[in-house]
């Protein structure tokens, strides 16, 4: 009798243990713990996720106004579902779709109207990153679009051809809303871009490329959960997606291909390069064409930065592949599927950019980025929507000195601060010095975001042509959301004399 009881008891205990074990290993907590363990050894796992997906090409948003010189667009901010990993659906956000947004394409001089409908149950804003428009049209944290309401910004396109973008800018929520999918490209074309002999066939040899990193849960979702490291340096995912796809394939001909690269990530900086040690030519930076194309082997883009590049594929034949990579990690497989009959041409001269006359600088301002984690500051302050940090005048040339205070031997020991991408609204600026030296050629054109490495000092020249209350901030979205942002008011004093 006693012997039998012991036997049953053992079985029962084993069963309970087994059930507990199975239960533990099937919960998300356990899976995440296990995944996190794996991720420590390799932060990016793209090369193991060969999906064979075609690179999604965002639609070109339809212009509802047929008149020349005018354009009208509808944008709907909506909930979506996206199958990043086959068989698993993730809750996402998108403009006019499940994830990301359509490409808005306008011409210089156009009178543009946009109807933004927010069908979310939370507020949002739509900021036109890089666009030079008055602050009330800028879509910053003050232009809140409440749930189920419509915002109708309108403006005249008053700057040269460029690859810009749009994304939310709600206080404390930018990181999450962008992460879930709210981002789209905004192209400006002009007479110069029309006459340049460069690839212009949208989605065929002129390809939009939005690069972002995600951290997938075991069920293929993208919950926005910040760990300790994310709080310090911004959200860093383990998988990079391009236009919403993991390791996609882009079919092209063996000709010159133009890629319009946007780093649409919350915090990760990429170092783009190609397999076979291919050189390429950068033709545009954030705010438009460079004066001349710049031959490069790799290009780094911090969050929000853009680069347009030309890649000559003429030495390849049908079925050959070239990989666009970040460091050693594969981002896109570019596959030659057809012979081209277009003659290869890489223009040297692209545009004339008039240099600012430094004698016209009326004054200098310093922007010191410092602090760590949620305590990041600019000039020792965190964002206050009711405080104006800087006041300046329209059409005056100023020199801004942007620095990243090296933490050095801080209270936490050998702590270096994160490199911060400094972004200014309502303007395209010029970088004149990086740590006392002339910036590299591909940073000598128009810029709206500049990465300032730890301990570094960057001098930029700014001249505002639009008025109102604008933002400057770090474009690591977790830093921005923590308050690493300030406001400046551009006033039009001239109006009193006109
Ligand atoms: Cu890309 Cu303040 O924004
Ligand atoms: Cu911006
Ligand atoms: Cu930062």
């Amino acid at each position: 009798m006693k012997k039998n009881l012991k036997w049953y008891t053992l079985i029962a205990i084993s069963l309970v243990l087994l059930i507990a074990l199975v239960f533990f290993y099937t919960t998300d907590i356990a899976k995440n713990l296990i995944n996190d363990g794996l991720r420590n050894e390799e932060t990016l796992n793209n090369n193991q996720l060969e999906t064979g997906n075609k690179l999604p090409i965002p639609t070109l948003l339809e212009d509802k106004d047929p008149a020349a010189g005018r354009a009208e667009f509808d944008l709907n901010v909506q909930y979506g579902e996206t199958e990043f990993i086959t068989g698993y659906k993730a809750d996402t956000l998108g403009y006019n779709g499940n994830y990301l947004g359509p490409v808005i394409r306008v011409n210089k001089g156009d009178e543009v109207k946009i109807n933004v409908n927010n069908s979310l149950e939370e507020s949002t804003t739509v900021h036109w990153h890089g666009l030079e428009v008055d602050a009330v049209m800028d879509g910053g944290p003050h232009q809140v679009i409440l749930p189920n309401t419509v915002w109708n910004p309108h403006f005249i396109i008053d700057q040269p051809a460029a690859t810009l973008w749009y994304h939310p800018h709600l206080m404390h929520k930018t990181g999450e809303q962008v992460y879930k999918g709210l981002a789209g490209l905004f192209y400006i074309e002009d007479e110069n871009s029309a006459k340049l002999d460069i690839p212009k066939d949208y989605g065929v040899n002129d390809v939009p490329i939005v690069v972002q990193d995600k951290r997938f849960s075991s069920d293929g979702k993208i919950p926005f959960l910040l760990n300790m490291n994310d709080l310090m340096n911004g959200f860093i995912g383990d998988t990079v997606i391009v236009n919403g796809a993991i390791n996609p394939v882009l079919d092209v001909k063996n000709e010159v291909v133009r890629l319009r690269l946007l780093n649409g990530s919350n915090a990760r900086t990429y170092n783009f390069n190609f397999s076979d040690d291919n050189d390429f030519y950068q033709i545009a930076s954030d705010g438009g064409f460079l004066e001349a194309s710049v031959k490069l082997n790799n290009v780094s883009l911090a969050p929000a930065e853009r680069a347009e590049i030309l890649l000559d594929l003429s030495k390849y034949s049908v079925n050959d592949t070239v990989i666009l990579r970040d460091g050693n990690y594969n981002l896109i497989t570019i596959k030659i599927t057809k012979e081209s009959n277009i003659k290869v041409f890489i223009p040297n001269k692209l545009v004339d950019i008039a240099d600012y006359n430094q004698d016209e600088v009326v004054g200098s301002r310093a922007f010191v980025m410092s602090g760590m984690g949620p305590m990041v500051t600019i000039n020792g302050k965190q964002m206050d929507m009711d405080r104006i940090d800087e006041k300046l005048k329209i059409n005056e040339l100023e020199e801004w000195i942007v620095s990243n205070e090296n933490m050095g031997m801080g209270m936490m020991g050998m702590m270096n601060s994160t490199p911060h991408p400094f972004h200014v609204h309502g303007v395209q600026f010029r970088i004149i010095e990086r740590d006392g030296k002339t910036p590299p050629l591909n940073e000598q054109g128009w810029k709206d975001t500049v990465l300032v490495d730890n301990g570094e000092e960057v001098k930029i020249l700014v001249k505002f042509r639009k008025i109102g209350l604008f933002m400057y901030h770090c474009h690591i979205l977790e830093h921005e959301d923590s308050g690493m942002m300030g406001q400046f008011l551009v006033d039009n004093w001239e109006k009193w004399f006109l």
Side-chain angles (χ1 to χ4, degrees), residues 127-130 138-141 165-169 174 178 303-304 306 423-425 448-449 471-475 477 480 485:
H127 166 56
W128 320 106
H129 179 124
D138 179 61
W165 64 303
Y166 59 98
H167 64 77
H169 217 298
T174 300
V178 171
R306 286 89 65 208
H423 167 54
V424 190
H425 284 214
D448 56 49
T449 307
M471 310 294 131
Y472 55 86
H473 60 90
C474 172
H475 220 290
L477 300 181
E480 177 189 332
M485 177 155 62

Side-chain angles (χ1 to χ4, degrees), residues 1 112 176:
M1 238 343 215
V112 179
E176 179 170 3

Side-chain angles (χ1 to χ4, degrees), residues 359-380:
D359 296 340
E360 285 168 18
V361 170
V362 299
S364 175
R365 288 171 209 264
F367 296 86
V368 182
M369 301 188 280
S370 52
M372 292 195 306
M375 267 120 82
V376 277
T377 58
I378 301 179
N379 291 341

Side-chain angles (χ1 to χ4, degrees), residues 232-233 369 376 418-421 473-480 484:
M232 295 304 294
N233 304 315
M369 301 188 280
V376 277
T418 328
H420 299 288
H473 60 90
C474 172
H475 220 290
I476 288 179
L477 300 181
E478 288 62 46
H479 288 176
E480 177 189 332
M484 196 174 193

Side-chain angles (χ1 to χ4, degrees), residues 419-456:
H420 299 288
F422 184 79
H423 167 54
V424 190
H425 284 214
V427 75
Q428 291 291 337
F429 56 75
R430 303 290 297 281
I431 304 175
I432 48 166
E433 265 180 47
R434 214 177 233 295
D435 256 348
K437 291 187 218 83
T438 312
L441 283 170
N442 62 338
E443 283 196 327
Q444 291 183 18
W446 294 112
K447 294 282 294 167
D448 56 49
T449 307
V450 57
L451 186 65
V452 186
D453 209 339
N454 118 59
E456 210 177 16

Side-chain angles (χ1 to χ4, degrees), residues 278-302:
N278 270 298
D279 287 330
F280 57 89
Y281 298 83
Q282 184 171 347
I283 56 168
S285 57
D286 301 339
F289 289 109
L290 298 166
E291 287 218 271
S293 44
V294 179
K295 189 176 182 181
L296 296 170
N297 194 256
N298 60 83
V299 64
S300 281
L301 292 183

